[in-house]
Amino acid sequence: MDKEMMPSSLLAHYNKEIVKKEIFEFSKNRWIALYGKTMIRYNGEEPLSLSSPEEVPSLVKRFNARTIYATAGKYEKVNKENVSGDKIVAYTPFFDIDTKIDKWEYAIKAADVIISALDKEGVSMSVYLLWSGEGIHVRINENAIPKDYDPLTAAHAIVQYILRKVKDEIKKLSDESEGVLKIDELIDAKRIFTAPLSFHKELDYVAVCFSPDKLHEFNLDWAKPDNFRHEEGVFSRYVEDETEELLSKAILEYKPTHEGIKPERRTTPQGKIGRFQVMGIVQAARYYVLYGDLPKAESFGLNRAIFYAWAKYYGKGYTPKVTGQKLPAEFRKDRILVTVAGEQVYQNPENGLFVIGDKEQTPEDYNREIKEKINAVIPYDKAWEATVKYVSSFPKEVLLNQREFYQKVYLPIRDAFIEKVVNRKSGLDAFFK
């Protein structure tokens, strides 16, 4: 593309504040690439990178570029000494769903299949989507991968594992699309993908990001450059170590297929229980100690685990993908807001179970999301007995106060549940060491 032929609308797009900000925030510590007539990855001898939002339109103009890419891998520093595969410090797992523009709906259907598979494996809150132009990426925030795994191996193991799980459904969709729909394993050390809000390399669409709960609202108008619809900062949202349970299974079945990726085994001890499950069992025990109703306690525990995970990582204005039994229409209007243990929560007045969105959290949901996952590490009955004993050791006024409970009961044990609750010493001193 000759400089004088670069459309003014292209530069105007990259000069927009939200575009500069989103591309920079996503691309920090990533090696970027620019595409115009050719792919450009170096500025002199140094790999291209961004040090400020203002560099986005500056580099686009300087190199006559149309599209901005970034590496799936992140580095401590982006320089010529530090961008080899063994210097990757984090890696964004992604599923590249490819189709043609006239059959774009098949990409949405395939994304739904993958999102559902990830959700069944306990990975949902770190997932976001990017419409890439003629397809869609399902991406997982890199911080959802535990730090004691090699990031590149972990990302590839996750993608490989999920694609095996959904291969029959994806094949069916591919056949329906007459072979247009494709999903490939593209995880490797040098992989680049489209940066959020970048122009597509050929089509007049921009890459917009959005959360999974908005998947079925999407249409191609969202990606029009003059009036795009993009969920700001969605690629930064995550639950720390959310992929841990999935990864522990995926790595056992992992078969490396790319150069530079080798089977990885954890060197740290097994048996960690996730924060979501810790919050769930501790909140359930809190309710049980105060009110003594086990089914409602389990409903309350899962409800609060969902709420706190949502509030911490997504903030106001986001509707979480909620686990639970969908309420009949007649109950949705009749749910009531009650105060339980100092926390405001919606309740189904018909059976007393607790509600988020239009779903109530049942004991069966608690069994699936909390009990079974704890039981995979240690016997749940042992964990429950120890948790009730632990929670009971606190004064009632602490259990009835939302802030006090979070800070004094939950926080000290959230990352050391087995050590500080199940295997605890007598007395409260052990909890705060």
Side-chain angles (χ1 to χ4, degrees), residues 115 119 122-129 139-141 144 210-214 231-240 242 276 305-322:
I115 289 167
D119 189 50
V123 180
S124 60
M125 300 183 75
S126 304
V127 178
Y128 66 96
L129 305 172
R139 296 182 182 176
I140 304 172
N141 184 287
F210 49 97
S211 48
D213 65 322
K214 296 180 175 63
E231 194 169 344
E232 189 172 351
V234 69
F235 52 76
S236 298
R237 299 171 181 170
Y238 66 93
V239 172
E240 187 176 1
E242 189 181 21
F276 185 87
I306 294 169
F307 172 79
Y308 280 100
W310 159 52
K312 181 174 182 180
Y313 295 101
Y314 290 92
K316 295 179 180 180
Y318 178 82
T319 303
K321 189 168 184 178
V322 179

Side-chain angles (χ1 to χ4, degrees), residues 101-121:
I101 201 68
D102 60 338
K103 294 188 177 182
W104 64 270
E105 294 96 339
Y106 283 100
I108 300 301
K109 293 176 182 178
D112 193 34
V113 169
I114 290 173
I115 289 167
S116 296
L118 287 169
D119 189 50
K120 289 176 183 176
E121 299 291 343

Side-chain angles (χ1 to χ4, degrees), residues 211-283:
S211 48
D213 65 322
K214 296 180 175 63
L215 176 64
H216 296 292
E217 299 174 31
F218 176 81
N219 63 68
L220 292 179
D221 288 344
W222 289 23
K224 289 183 177 179
D226 292 336
N227 192 30
F228 57 79
R229 179 175 170 181
H230 167 83
E231 194 169 344
E232 189 172 351
V234 69
F235 52 76
S236 298
R237 299 171 181 170
Y238 66 93
V239 172
E240 187 176 1
D241 295 350
E242 189 181 21
T243 65
E244 184 169 26
E245 194 168 321
L246 164 59
L247 193 46
S248 66
K249 293 186 287 185
I251 207 74
L252 294 176
E253 299 182 16
Y254 179 55
K255 296 179 181 178
T257 56
H258 295 302
E259 183 180 353
I261 307 181
K262 299 179 180 179
E264 183 77 9
R265 293 294 182 266
R266 298 182 68 172
T267 57
T268 55
Q270 299 291 311
K272 181 180 177 182
I273 293 173
R275 288 182 178 181
F276 185 87
Q277 283 72 37
V278 173
M279 174 63 83
I281 193 173
V282 173
Q283 288 280 14

